[in-house]
């Protein structure tokens, strides 16, 4: 058997390059390996390099069964596309596999078609391939990899995408949609892949909005989503996202990079979720994302109908919109946690704030984050902002904001709450650090601006706990706030974000309040942003750094 490309050889837990697995491949009673080469012949058997097929059309004409493997010659280009029908399916332990053999990755040039379409089926693994579309304009309205279950009651599982590069498609790099009534696609992994320079977005995973959380168990890790511009649509459809997941129960998005998406899009976000439960975003960098509209363009977002989910250990910076957003609108957004993250100069456009909360957001905990925000031309911008605008009268309720560092410069506001929210006191601020360097201190509490924590506390009862004053106004003594740049490697975030560690004599050490109550569905954080173990008792430090 010819050598496989050495990267990304693990598929569904199996090392497809191992001798033991190769022995299984050679047992033709189980399944077959088919080779495809530009030098091949579609009249050949395809069962060896010497008898390789020539075209993707020949692959499509052959009915694939569980365990079959299609290997394209590495370093070569193939025009056309791959189509997997509902009659072709693998199983978790024996997927239908597409990969490359020899040196390098094979490239599929699919023109106006999807590079790979998986129709009403699953049990498929794709690794070590490059997909290039015919452009983001004109008639090209296809996704690079398109997985769909549009028929009713299709309950599908097992899809693994690894080490692929997808670009230049008019729609998205990767689209998965289970739109059929009662249908779902579960147990999906997307790993170590890049989705870039596509028209509508990078990665888009959705289900049937009437069947929330039907898709289960998604893992997206080490994915790079960038330069997905988005397009303005008259119907307001959201385009220009980096990574978007919806209608999922249990999803983990980690160690991903999302940048420079959404410049032509309407309400895009670098990485966001909607209509989902138990979603975790961790150890990601999302930055320099844009919007062509008056909304979004941020780094992260838990939006409508997201519940019991966590954002932690992420670094967001230089986004047009909010770094971290909880958005309920008129629908619910409940039980979510934002903790131990760092934001630097987010909210560059439209005055949305570094942390932005709007609409029907309830029972949220926002704690031990470090927020640095320099002033913009929009006076509405703030380190943390909340509004009920566009939410049908719904307002945030039971929002705990504790042990965060809010650091602004140039006169940027620390808080900006609209009057309707401020008057009803639905927020509880305790144990936070407040500092405005090089400009006036400002807390905009509805129609009143406060020039100190003391004045704000006296008038509103905020930064109080059991009758005692909490909160700190003054320099938190971070090592070098505002000086962190782009990291570009999700494994190096802790080492690169040293400017946001506390100095040894910081007044914030051991000054935080006890951790807020979190529902039993979300365990307490084990470490700070930098991997330091958190104290199980006593008072924590304020901010994303727990000094040892």
């Amino acid at each position: 058997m010819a050598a496989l490309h050495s990267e990304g050889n693990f598929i569904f837990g199996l090392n497809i390059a191992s001798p033991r697995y190769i022995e299984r491949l050679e047992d033709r009673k189980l399944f077959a390996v088919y080779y495809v080469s530009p030098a091949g012949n579609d009249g050949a058997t395809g069962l060896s390099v010497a008898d390789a097929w020539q075209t993707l059309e020949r692959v499509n004409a052959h009915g694939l069964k569980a365990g079959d493997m299609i290997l394209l010659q590495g370093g070569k280009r193939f025009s056309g596309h791959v189509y997997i029908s509902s009659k072709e399916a693998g199983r978790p332990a024996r997927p239908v596999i597409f990969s490359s053999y020899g040196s390098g990755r094979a490239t599929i040039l699919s023109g106006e078609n999807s590079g790979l379409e998986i129709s009403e089926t699953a049990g498929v693994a794709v690794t070590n391939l490059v997909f290039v579309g015919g452009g983001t304009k004109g008639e090209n309205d296809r996704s690079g990899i398109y997985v769909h279950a549009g028929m009713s009651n299709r309950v599908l599982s097992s899809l693994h995408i690894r080490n692929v590069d997808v670009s230049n498609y008019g729609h998205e790099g990767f689209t998965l949609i289970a739109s059929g009534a009662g249908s779902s696609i579960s147990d999906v992994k997307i790993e170590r892949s890049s989705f870039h320079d596509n028209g509508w977005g990078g990665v888009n995973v959705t289900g049937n909005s009437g069947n929330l959380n039907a898709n289960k168990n998604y893992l997206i890790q080490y994915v790079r989503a960038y330069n997905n511009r988005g397009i303005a649509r008259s119907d307001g459809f959201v385009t220009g996202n980096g990574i978007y997941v919806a209608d999922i129960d249990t999803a983990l998005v980690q160690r991903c990079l999302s940048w420079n998406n959404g410049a032509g899009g309407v309400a895009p976000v670098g990485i966001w979720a909607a209509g989902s439960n138990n979603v975790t975003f961790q150890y990601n960098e999302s930055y320099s994302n844009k919007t062509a509209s008056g909304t979004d363009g941020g780094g992260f977002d838990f939006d409508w109908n997201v519940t019991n989910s966590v954002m932690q250990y992420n670094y967001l910076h230089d986004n047009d919109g909010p770094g971290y957003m909880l958005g309920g609108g008129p629908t619910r957004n409940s039980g979510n946690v934002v903790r131990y993250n760092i934001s630097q100069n987010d909210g560059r456009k439209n005055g949305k704030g570094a942390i932005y909360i709007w609409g029907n957001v309830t029972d949220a905990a926002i704690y031990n984050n470090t927020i640095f925000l320099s002033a913009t031309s929009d006076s509405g911008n703030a380190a943390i902002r909340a509004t009920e605008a566009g939410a049908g009268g719904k307002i945030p309720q039971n929002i705990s904001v504790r042990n965060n560092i809010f650091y602004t410069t140039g006169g940027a506001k620390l808080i900006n709450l609209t009057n309707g929210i401020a008057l009803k006191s639905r927020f509880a601020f305790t144990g936070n650090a407040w500092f405005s360097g090089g400009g006036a201190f400002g807390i905009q509490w509805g129609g009143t601006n406060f020039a100190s924590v003391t004045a704000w506390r006296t008038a509103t009862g905020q930064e109080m706990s059991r009758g005692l004053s909490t909160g700190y106004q003054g320099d938190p003594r971070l090592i070098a706030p505002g000086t962190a740049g782009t990291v570009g490697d999700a494994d190096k975030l802790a080492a690169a974000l040293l400017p946001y560690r506390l100095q040894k004599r910081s007044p914030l050490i051991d000054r935080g309040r006890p951790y807020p109550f979190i529902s039993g569905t979300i365990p307490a954080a084990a470490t700070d942003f930098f991997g330091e173990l958190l104290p199980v008792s006593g008072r924590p430090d304020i901010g994303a750094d727990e000094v040892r």
Side-chain angles (χ1 to χ4, degrees):
M1 177 177 176
L4 293 169
H5 182 49
S6 60
E7 291 185 77
N9 290 323
F10 285 87
I11 300 295
F12 284 108
L14 301 174
N15 183 354
I16 61 177
S18 72
R20 188 173 183 180
Y21 193 76
I22 291 171
E23 289 175 3
R24 291 178 61 195
L25 293 176
E26 294 301 327
D27 185 351
R28 301 303 184 207
K29 294 180 181 179
L30 293 177
F31 42 78
V33 182
Y34 299 99
Y35 297 86
V36 188
S37 167
N41 185 332
D42 283 349
T45 66
L47 294 174
S48 68
V49 171
D51 288 320
W53 292 335
Q54 184 180 47
T55 68
L56 298 179
E57 286 80 0
R58 180 65 182 84
V59 174
N60 293 334
H62 185 82
L64 300 173
K65 59 184 181 297
D68 283 350
M69 182 182 292
I70 303 295
L71 300 179
L72 280 62
Q73 186 175 359
K76 302 299 181 180
R77 296 187 170 194
F78 297 84
S79 296
H81 69 287
V82 175
Y83 178 82
I84 304 177
S85 74
S86 60
K87 297 180 181 179
E88 301 171 282
R91 297 193 296 272
R94 292 175 60 185
V96 172
I97 297 174
F98 288 82
S99 190
S100 300
Y101 74 90
S103 178
R105 292 185 291 186
T107 297
I108 293 177
L109 303 173
S110 61
E112 303 302 318
N113 292 306
S114 293
L116 169 65
E117 182 176 353
I118 303 173
S119 176
E120 312 295 333
T121 191
V124 177
V126 183
T127 183
N128 303 325
L129 292 171
V130 177
F131 297 89
V132 180
T136 60
K137 298 180 180 180
E139 299 300 319
N140 188 353
D141 193 23
R142 301 296 180 93
S143 294
I145 299 175
Y146 177 37
V147 185
H148 56 93
M151 298 172 62
S152 298
N153 301 315
R154 300 287 291 179
V155 180
L156 306 171
S157 67
S158 300
L159 176 67
H160 196 165
I161 307 297
R162 182 182 174 92
N163 195 34
V164 302
D165 186 287
V166 186
S167 65
N168 213 35
Y169 287 89
H171 210 272
E172 289 140 349
F174 177 92
T175 299
L176 182 152
I177 180 167
S179 58
S183 292
S184 63
I185 304 175
S186 298
D187 302 318
V188 174
K189 295 181 182 179
I190 307 173
E191 304 179 283
R192 300 189 181 277
S193 297
S194 295
F195 303 90
H196 60 97
D197 296 287
N198 300 293
W200 278 40
V203 173
N204 188 314
V205 174
T206 61
N208 186 322
S209 59
N211 192 23
L212 294 179
N213 306 334
N215 299 329
K216 300 182 185 302
N217 303 324
Y218 278 62
L219 173 64
I220 300 174
Q221 62 181 355
Y222 292 101
V223 164
R224 295 156 58 93
Y226 60 96
N227 297 346
N228 299 293
R229 180 176 174 81
I231 61 172
R233 290 172 53 94
S234 59
D235 58 6
F237 193 88
V238 176
T239 66
N241 301 308
I243 300 172
Y244 170 56
V245 296
D247 312 313
I248 297 174
D249 186 358
T250 307
L252 174 60
V253 180
Q254 65 178 0
R255 308 286 183 185
C256 294
L257 305 176
S258 180
W259 76 94
N260 198 36
N261 300 293
V266 176
V269 179
I271 302 174
W272 68 294
S276 297
N277 179 66
N278 190 26
V279 177
T280 300
F281 292 167
Q282 62 181 15
Y283 307 110
N284 303 289
E285 182 179 13
S286 184
Y287 62 97
S288 299
N289 293 295
K290 314 295 184 186
T291 179
S293 66
T295 56
D296 298 331
F300 276 176
D301 176 20
F302 285 160
D303 217 285
W304 50 269
N305 285 331
V306 171
T307 56
N308 307 311
S309 296
V310 183
M311 302 177 187
Q312 60 185 8
Y313 315 129
N314 303 287
Y315 173 42
L316 278 64
H317 59 97
D318 302 295
N319 292 291
D320 274 6
Y324 305 91
M325 184 166 77
L326 300 180
T331 60
R332 70 172 181 158
N333 179 301
S334 179
N336 298 313
V337 174
V338 180
R339 65 189 181 193
Y340 289 99
N341 301 284
I342 294 174
S343 166
Q344 177 178 287
N345 286 331
D346 289 307
R348 298 293 88 193
K349 184 178 178 181
N350 299 325
K352 298 299 184 183
I355 296 177
Y356 183 59
I357 303 168
W358 74 285
N360 191 25
V361 178
T362 62
D363 304 315
I366 300 169
Y367 67 95
N368 284 96
N369 303 284
T370 297
I371 306 299
F372 178 91
L373 179 74
S374 62
T376 69
S377 59
D378 194 317
S379 61
N381 202 18
I384 180 168
R385 185 175 184 187
T387 178
E388 73 274 30
K394 301 288 187 178
I395 65 171
Q397 302 182 56
N398 193 24
I399 311 299
S400 173
V401 184
R402 185 176 301 208
N403 300 347
N404 303 281
I405 297 174
F406 295 109
Y407 188 130
T408 64
T409 65
K413 290 183 175 67
L414 292 154
I415 300 178
N416 188 351
L417 267 61
T418 56
N419 200 51
I421 295 174
L423 289 175
K424 295 181 180 180
S425 300
R426 303 294 185 174
F427 279 71
F429 290 88
T430 53
N432 302 285
W434 308 91
F435 182 62
S436 185
F441 184 100
I443 290 178
Q444 189 71 41
W445 197 254
T448 304
N449 185 72
F450 295 99
S452 71
V453 169
T454 300
W456 173 49
R457 180 190 297 122
T458 300
T460 67
Q462 294 291 334
E463 286 294 0
M464 295 287 294
S465 178
R466 298 181 179 179
L468 299 176
S469 297
T470 66
Y472 173 80
Q473 181 177 339
D475 190 343
R477 294 187 184 176
L478 296 165
I479 289 177
T483 65
T486 298
V487 180
D489 185 337
D491 284 332
K492 297 179 179 178
L493 295 181
L497 272 291
L498 295 181
Y500 287 99
R501 301 207 75 159
L502 296 173
Q503 298 178 30
K504 293 299 183 181
R505 295 184 179 180
S506 169
L508 306 188
I509 296 173
D510 296 332
R511 195 162 185 155
R513 303 300 299 167
Y515 294 112
F517 171 78
I518 301 174
S519 70
T521 61
I522 298 176
T527 70
D528 69 358
F529 180 91
F530 301 96
E532 301 281 359
L533 290 175
L534 295 173
V536 295
S537 62
R539 300 182 70 175
D541 299 343
I542 299 176
D545 179 24
E546 181 70 25
V547 175
R548 293 296 188 186

